[in-house]
Every structure is written in structure tokens, then in C-alpha cells.
Amino acid sequence: MAQGENSLGVLLDANQVKEGVELKPYVTGFLLAHEMDWAEATAETYRHALTQFETYRADRGRPALNELLVKQYVRNLYLNRRSAAYIQRQLSVLRSFSAWAVEEGILPADPTRKIPMPKLSAEYRREALDEEEIDRLLNQIQITSFMDLRDYLLVSLIWRAATRLIELHRANIEDYVKKGDGGLLYLHGKGREEADSFVVIVPELVPALDRYIEMRGIVAPKAPLFISERPKKGARLSVRGIRGIVTYYLKKAGIKRKRLTAYSLRHTAATEALKNGADLKAVRDMMRHRSMNTTLKYDHMVRRIEKGAETFIKTRKQADLSQMDARKESK
């Protein structure tokens, strides 16, 4: 690298991303700088987010990349009613890119440093299904084909083992290992190609998973565990595809509460485990939380619903609805 240049071979300036300058070559350099550290899906997430930001910037004549522009971009996302989670992800990507650009001498200062992250509602993040809803959901999956079996396993691995959607997307055939009556599914953590943690496959799921792999036939160990039917049959099933499958069955089961998403099945695993007596350490291990404080939020919600102070207040009189029902029947 020549003196006075950064790793892209670009001569240093007070601000390389000036008005009218395209962001694309810098995005390429940013992604290349991290290609050894990130999985392909992670790199694609960053590329997509930065492309969206550059589209917004281009529509406004490509102003200089500074704090004012980032503030305007975030405000535009709010005006377009983007979710807090979406805005948080976009801003997180911009922060990572800006930190790299400052280090490379492409930007004089981080334009995202003083911009706060939107707060996510804890209740929204942890909305769970109840037992009756889980039964209704599973009853919608009538296993008559290979793809039905795949869908059953996807839903079951999220709510029985708290597996993340991205982890199911990255799972390979070789990541499933039999252990006694049950098994383990080794997981590829965020941004990593190697499997570095695992979830426990309960014995009840083993026959279905064994049958699914048997129906796959002879495939390479590193072949994707879950494959798509369309647009390219046999390709690795995308996170979007997994989300779509879960959402389809939720709607089919008539479960349409506003805050329920595919990710709610993972929250259901934590909630069900705690309600049925699992200790916090075991639930933390299952959820793979870095901090016990995150697991405690699930415990707090379960206790708040089942043993909140409201349940200790003595009922004086319950509404008598019999006369109202009789009046309705007489009409």
C-alpha cells in the first residue's frame, strides 16, 4: 500500500464520500474487507442495506455522507412506517460501514455516532403462542409429502428447540448428529461459517428428521439440510422462505394476533419451558443468550401473567351475563 493511501488504494482526503460521489466502490471495499469473517448471508444483508441507503442518497442528488444525511434517512424510514427492528438493522449496518470508513480515512468522522437506535418493545419481541395455538398450528401441517415433512420440521425445530430462522437456513446435513434416543443440531452462529453451538433434538422429533434425511437420498455432507421447492428445487431454503412457511401455517390456523411473527415460535419455546418448570440456566442455554438478563425478561413475563399482583386481589362481584344472553336469544 502506498503511503497516503488506504486499503482500497485511494488517496486520502478530508471526505472521500463528497457530494455527487457514488458509494458503490466503497461498499465493495467494505464487503471485501470482511469477506473472511462473514457468512454469505451476512454479507448479503449488509450489501442490501447499503444499496437501499445509496438509492435514497442518489434520489437526492448524492449529497455528502454526513450526520444530517443519516438523520434524514432515518426520518424517512419512520415516515414510511418501517418497523423499529428494520430501522435498527439499517442503522446498525450504516454504523459498521462508517466505522470502517473512518478507520480507512474515507470519512473524517462517524456520521452515525450521535444518532440513537430506535427502541424495540420488549413485549413485541417476546410475543408467544399459547398451548392451544401451538396445537392448532401443528394440526394444519398434514404430512403427505416430502415438503410437508420439511415444513413440520421447520416449525417444530423453532418452537421445540428455539432454533433461529437464520440457523435453520445455514444448517447442513452433517450438522445433525444422533445422540442416544435424541440428537443434536450444530448451528452456524451469526457471521460464522463453522458450527459453534447446538440445539437438542428431542426424541419425538428424531423419527421425522431421520425420515426426511432418508428421503433426501445420497447428498454431500455440506449440502443444505432444508431445501426449497421454488424457484430452484433443491437450493438452500432462504430465511425469507422459512419465514413465509411459518407465516402461512399461522394464517391457515387462524392465528392472526398483530404481534405474532415466525420468530414468536422461538419465544414460545422459552415461555413454555419456564411455565413447565425449567430452570433459568437451562432456558438460557437453550436460547443461547449471552446475558442472563435477556432470559430473565421471559421469566418476568411468565410470572407477571401467571402470578401478577392482580391475581391476589379478591373478587367482589363477577358480572352476571345471564340476563344479557337471555335478551339476545329472545330477539
Side-chain angles (χ1 to χ4, degrees), residues 41 93 96 125-126 135 146 176 180 183 187 194 206 220 226 232 303 320:
V93 169
S96 296
R125 292 199 306 269
R126 292 173 179 81
D135 288 339
F146 172 77
Y176 170 53
L187 307 172
E194 295 300 320
V206 168
F226 293 106
K232 185 178 179 181
R303 291 176 181 274
D320 182 2

Side-chain angles (χ1 to χ4, degrees), residues 65-82:
L65 177 48
N66 53 33
E67 184 178 333
L68 176 61
L69 176 64
V70 177
K71 282 182 177 179
Q72 291 171 338
Y73 177 60
V74 171
R75 182 172 180 271
N76 180 261
L77 294 177
Y78 277 113
L79 290 174
N80 282 284
R81 299 193 173 187
R82 293 291 192 174

Side-chain angles (χ1 to χ4, degrees), residues 116-129:
M117 282 284 190
K119 292 183 178 179
L120 298 177
S121 164
E123 287 75 17
Y124 177 82
R125 292 199 306 269
R126 292 173 179 81
E127 185 77 7
L129 282 72

Side-chain angles (χ1 to χ4, degrees), residues 188-202:
H188 299 257
K190 183 178 180 181
R192 298 180 177 88
E193 294 291 350
E194 295 300 320
D196 55 5
S197 61
F198 64 86
V199 292
V200 175
I201 308 297
V202 294

Side-chain angles (χ1 to χ4, degrees), residues 128-141 152 155-156 158-160 246 249-250 253 255 257 260 262 264-269 272:
L129 282 72
D130 59 34
E131 292 182 23
E132 187 269 338
E133 287 173 328
I134 283 291
D135 288 339
R136 280 163 53 196
L137 175 63
L138 294 174
N139 286 336
Q140 297 306 313
I141 309 175
Y152 168 78
V155 169
S156 297
I158 301 172
W159 90 268
R160 285 300 302 268
V246 177
Y249 286 110
L250 284 171
I255 305 171
R257 296 207 311 276
L260 281 180
S264 297
L265 295 186
R266 175 173 152 83
H267 304 321
T268 302
E272 284 289 296

